[in-house]
Amino acid sequence: MKKLFVYVDGAAKGEPGEAGIGIAVTDQNGAVIDEVSQLIGRATTEVAEYRALIEAARHVASYEADSVIFFTDNQRVANYINRVFETREPHIKRLIEIALGLLNRIPRWRVNYVDRDANVRAPRLVEQAFHQSIQAQVSRERMELVLLARAATLSDDGMQRLIDYAERLQEEG
C-alpha cells in the first residue's frame, strides 16, 4: 500500500471516566480498509485522544504503507505531536514519546488537525465501543436475573450442586 489516511478519536464519559477509542483506516481512494472500536479503561478524554493515535500508529504498521496521514479533531494533539508546542505535563509527554516512537517507524507520516465535521467516522467508532459495552452489560445482567430465578426454584440439594458446579467453573478460569 502506498498511502493511507487514518482518522482517530478518543473520548471519556467523565473526566476521568470510562474511555474509548475509534480508528478508521482508509486508502487513498477513501475506501475503508479497517476500523477499530474499543474501550481502553478509565482515562481522561485527552489521554484517550493520545491512546487512539498510539493504537492507530501500532495498527497501521502492519500495512507497510509508504506514507500515512493521521487526522484528529483535537488541535492540541496535532500541535504537540508535530512539535508546534510542548507540554509540561509528564504523563502527556510520555504519551507523546510513545506515539512518536511508533510514528517514526513509518517512512513518511504526519498528523493533521481537521474540523470535527471532517472526522465523523472515528467518533462514531468511539460511540460504538460505548454502545457495545452497554449491550454486554445488559446481556450480563439479564443472564444473572435468569440464573437467580432458576436458582430460587432449586431444592437444597440442587442448590449445592449448582454451587459446586460454579466453583469448578471458576477454578477452570
Side-chain angles (χ1 to χ4, degrees):
M1 243 177 245
K2 295 285 183 210
K3 191 172 198 174
L4 293 176
F5 298 95
V6 183
Y7 298 84
V8 300
D9 193 32
K13 303 284 184 181
E15 289 294 324
E18 185 68 29
I21 61 172
I23 302 164
V25 181
T26 65
D27 65 15
Q28 51 202 15
N29 298 319
V32 176
I33 296 171
D34 201 1
E35 294 180 327
V36 175
S37 173
Q38 70 184 48
L39 295 180
I40 59 168
R42 189 170 171 81
T44 63
T45 295
E46 185 175 20
V47 167
E49 294 273 4
Y50 284 102
R51 293 275 307 274
L53 180 60
I54 289 167
E55 283 306 310
R58 214 177 256 138
H59 197 74
V60 299
S62 64
Y63 291 106
E64 299 177 0
D66 296 329
S67 175
V68 181
I69 301 174
F70 296 86
F71 297 99
T72 176
D73 57 24
N74 186 311
Q75 195 163 20
R76 286 179 64 176
V77 170
N79 286 339
Y80 287 154
I81 292 293
N82 291 319
R83 301 290 194 191
V84 174
F85 299 114
E86 202 167 310
T87 184
R88 292 186 182 133
E89 300 175 71
H91 70 289
I92 299 299
K93 278 185 179 181
R94 181 67 184 131
L95 291 170
I96 292 168
E97 288 171 9
I98 293 167
L100 288 171
L102 292 165
L103 290 167
N104 287 329
R105 294 179 184 173
I106 300 167
R108 287 191 341 250
W109 63 269
R110 71 177 187 247
V111 176
N112 288 352
Y113 165 73
V114 293
D115 189 73
R116 189 151 182 83
D117 295 337
N119 189 22
V120 293
R121 181 171 270 121
R124 283 188 194 147
L125 291 167
V126 174
E127 286 305 314
Q128 180 180 318
F130 287 121
H131 182 72
Q132 288 171 342
S133 173
I134 291 167
Q135 283 182 321
Q137 185 178 356
V138 167
S139 178
R140 168 100 186 178
E141 288 171 0
R142 189 174 296 130
M143 287 187 289
E144 288 173 358
L145 288 173
V146 169
L147 182 59
L148 284 171
R150 298 265 168 85
T153 64
L154 293 175
S155 65
D156 288 348
D157 184 50
M159 185 67 85
Q160 186 58 53
R161 288 197 328 244
L162 178 61
I163 291 168
D164 294 343
Y165 182 68
E167 287 173 352
R168 283 196 307 272
L169 285 175
Q170 279 184 319
E171 289 171 4
E172 291 173 10

